[in-house]
Structure formats: structure tokens, C-alpha cells
Amino acid sequence: MTVLVRAQPLSRESFAAFGDVIETEDATSYTINAGWAERFHDLAALDVTAQSGRPTVSIFRSKPRPVPVTLTLMERHCLSSQSFVPLSSTPFLVVVAAAGGAPADSAALHAFVSNGRQGVSYHRGTWHHPLLAIKQLSDFLVIDRTGPEEDCDEIEIADWDIKVVIES
Amino acid sequence: MTVLVRAQPLSRESFAAFGDVIETEDATSYTINAGWAERFHDLAALDVTAQSGRPTVSIFRSKPRPVPVTLTLMERHCLSSQSFVPLSSTPFLVVVAAAGGAPADSAALHAFVSNGRQGVSYHRGTWHHPLLAIKQLSDFLVIDRTGPEEDCDEIEIADWDIKVVIES
């Protein structure tokens, strides 16, 4: 039987156990460049240099999933945070589970919807679904780690038959 | 007498002496997420960990300058690259001078215009003008270094009376 998981609006508070929300809303800032700019400083705890890792910047171009979105896989990076910031100002879904043992069932999953101006930075070890663009082909700036070894654990969940619906 | 500097279209080749252009155009990619996304991997040489530095992600919100833009100041960071990626898909200007001694006059300056999908990453030591948004209030994702010491040299150039014009 299909399990429906409801995506709630992304916020710092609701996402704190899993990572950081990268956004200016309610963030402190200070003026720079002789008044021409505001700096919202240090918005996520980047954790990308363990075991000879180096910080890496990439762009992911993600195809939109049909809504409601069917979940297929959860993954985690035990050596690195991983940050995604939308470049297309388009809402997307974020599905996570707590760091630690692999999620056992749908009750372990938490779904959020970004307003399109919010990025996320998963803490090291947070289980997360691969990118879930929903509206259009969407580019994301990604900050993660390049290191000498693979750093991705995966668990297939397609047969859990979970769909994410967006709360209105 | 006002000196006019012409901004040329930003490209990897023309910008190579000063830093990296962060864009998907003509970048190689590989498929990830079971075909749902393309990864344009490792688009800039981030250099942000010297002398106990840690990588930092921030958002700069920049007011648009009147065009033609009057240049006021050049700065450099001797311990770090600094990367700017537009979040508003809006063109902006980039003005740089080679790393090394401070630029002596307008002939040392090079001006570029980003198409709004192109970010830049200044190499460590590259002289650059503070952010030059030109169309509208514009947000940029910024990746740089936080460290125990200040890392910014500045030179005032307002009295050089330089304006940047955009080549059409």
C-alpha cells in the first residue's frame, strides 16, 4: 500500500537535526563594500576536509520529478557535509533521515519543501534522498568534498512505495 | 579626464589568468542519481584552508550600481580564493587586475560582464573590485575562507575616475 509522506515548509528549526538551511531570511548580516552590499555570513557548517578531503564546488542539473514524488533511494556521506543551493529560484523537495543506522521504514523519513530561495547543507552522516527537483529542470550549486576514497552509502527504498505530497 | 574601460563577455579563456568561471557551458558532466541529474564536477580551484582557514559559505546581497559603473576600490585576499555565484540569474560586472603588486593605473584593469549564469572564483591574490551588480538588487552565493586573521588588502582608485562600459 502506498505510504504518503507530507513535506512541510523548510525552516532552520525543523531542519536543525539534519543540517543547515542556507537562506537570508532571519539571518543576521552586516554591511560591506561601503554600503553597497550586505553580508549574510557563514550560513552553514561546511565539513569537507576530513581525511585529506578538499572543498569542491560543482553544479548539479536536476530533472523534475512527477508529483507526488516516488522515493527510490537514501544515501549518506560519512566524511562530509553536502550543500545544495538552488540557482533557478525554484522549489524543490528535501527528504532526510537521522544520521546513524540506515532508516528502517517510512516513519524514519522527514520531508521538506524549499521555497526556491532556501538551500540546504546536510550534516555529515545525514541520510538524504538524491535531489528532488519538482517544477522544472533546475540547477543547484553544490559544495562537498573530493577525497581519495568513495564516501557514499546507499539504501534502496523503492519497494517501500512512498510518495511525498506537499502540504498546501 | 574620465577613463572608459570596456567590459568584455566573461569566458574561461579570457578570465584564466585571474581565476575560474563557474558555469556549465562547455563543462564536462556525468550522469548521477539514476539518470535524474547531471554533475558538472569541480568547477573552480577552491583554495580556502591556508593557515588554519576553514571554508565558509555566505550570501552577499548587492545593490545595483548606476551604469556606466564608476570604480572605487580594488582589493585582494592573499590567503584565499573567493567565489561568487549569482543566485538571481542577473548579469554583473567583474573587474580584476593580476596578482602581485597593486595595480598602478587603469591599464592594469580588466573588466568582464557575466551573463548571469556565470559565477567567478578569484584565485588567491587576484586584485578585484568589490561586487558590481548592475541590473537589480542581486544575491550571490560566496565561498571563501574564515581564519584567525584579517586577509584583505585594499587600494582606493576612486580618484582615477574610471567608468566601465559594457560592450554590446
Side-chain angles (χ1 to χ4, degrees):
Chain A
M1 197 184 71
T2 299
V3 178
L4 295 183
V5 173
R6 295 185 185 281
Q8 60 178 306
L10 185 63
S11 73
R12 283 196 188 83
E13 295 68 27
S14 56
F15 196 68
F18 311 108
D20 300 300
V21 177
I22 299 173
E23 65 175 333
T24 57
E25 188 79 12
D26 293 329
T28 57
S29 69
Y30 53 92
T31 301
I32 58 172
N33 298 352
W36 284 99
E38 286 289 306
R39 178 170 184 140
F40 301 83
H41 179 66
D42 201 9
L43 296 172
L46 302 184
D47 181 2
V48 292
T49 57
Q51 295 190 27
S52 303
R54 64 176 172 83
T56 305
V57 61
S58 304
I59 292 175
F60 286 13
R61 176 163 293 160
S62 187
K63 296 177 188 170
R65 313 261 178 162
V67 174
V69 171
T70 300
L71 301 184
T72 59
L73 181 123
M74 297 291 282
E75 64 180 44
R76 66 170 176 179
H77 311 295
C78 286
L79 296 177
S80 171
S81 63
Q82 190 176 36
S83 309
F84 295 85
V85 178
L87 298 177
S88 308
S89 301
T90 309
F92 64 100
L93 293 178
V94 175
V95 177
V96 291
D105 56 34
S106 62
L109 305 184
H110 302 261
F112 301 90
V113 56
S114 160
N115 61 19
R117 298 179 303 281
Q118 297 168 310
V120 292
S121 183
Y122 303 122
H123 289 161
R124 195 202 285 216
T126 290
W127 289 94
H128 55 278
H129 196 282
L131 267 175
L132 294 171
I134 49 175
K135 299 281 190 180
Q136 61 181 52
L137 192 67
S138 302
D139 284 359
F140 295 83
L141 198 78
V142 180
I143 306 168
D144 58 9
R145 168 189 179 276
T146 298
E149 68 296 288
E150 281 296 308
D151 176 32
C152 189
D153 299 326
E154 293 182 351
I155 170 177
E156 299 279 349
I157 62 168
D159 61 1
W160 295 8
D161 194 12
I162 301 174
K163 290 186 190 297
V164 179
V165 294
I166 301 173
E167 289 192 339
S168 58
Chain B
M1 199 182 73
T2 301
V3 178
L4 295 182
V5 173
R6 293 184 187 283
Q8 59 178 303
L10 185 64
S11 73
R12 283 196 187 82
E13 295 69 27
S14 57
F15 196 67
F18 310 107
D20 300 301
V21 177
I22 298 173
E23 64 176 334
T24 57
E25 187 81 13
D26 293 329
T28 57
S29 69
Y30 53 92
T31 301
I32 58 172
N33 297 354
W36 285 99
E38 285 288 305
R39 179 171 182 140
F40 300 83
H41 179 66
D42 200 10
L43 296 171
L46 301 185
D47 181 2
V48 292
T49 57
Q51 295 189 25
S52 304
R54 64 176 173 85
T56 305
V57 61
S58 304
I59 292 175
F60 287 13
R61 177 162 293 161
S62 187
K63 297 178 189 171
R65 312 260 179 163
V67 174
V69 171
T70 300
L71 300 183
T72 59
L73 181 124
M74 297 291 282
E75 64 180 43
R76 66 171 175 178
H77 312 295
C78 286
L79 295 178
S80 172
S81 63
Q82 191 177 35
S83 310
F84 295 85
V85 178
L87 298 177
S88 309
S89 302
T90 310
F92 64 100
L93 293 178
V94 174
V95 177
V96 290
D105 56 34
S106 62
L109 305 184
H110 302 261
F112 301 90
V113 57
S114 160
N115 61 19
R117 297 179 303 280
Q118 299 168 308
V120 292
S121 183
Y122 302 122
H123 289 161
R124 195 202 284 217
T126 291
W127 289 94
H128 55 277
H129 196 282
L131 267 176
L132 293 170
I134 50 176
K135 299 281 191 182
Q136 61 182 51
L137 192 69
S138 302
D139 283 0
F140 296 83
L141 198 79
V142 179
I143 306 167
D144 58 9
R145 169 189 177 277
T146 298
E149 68 296 287
E150 281 295 307
D151 175 33
C152 189
D153 299 325
E154 294 183 350
I155 171 177
E156 298 278 349
I157 62 168
D159 61 1
W160 294 8
D161 195 11
I162 301 174
K163 289 186 190 297
V164 179
V165 294
I166 300 173
E167 289 192 340
S168 59

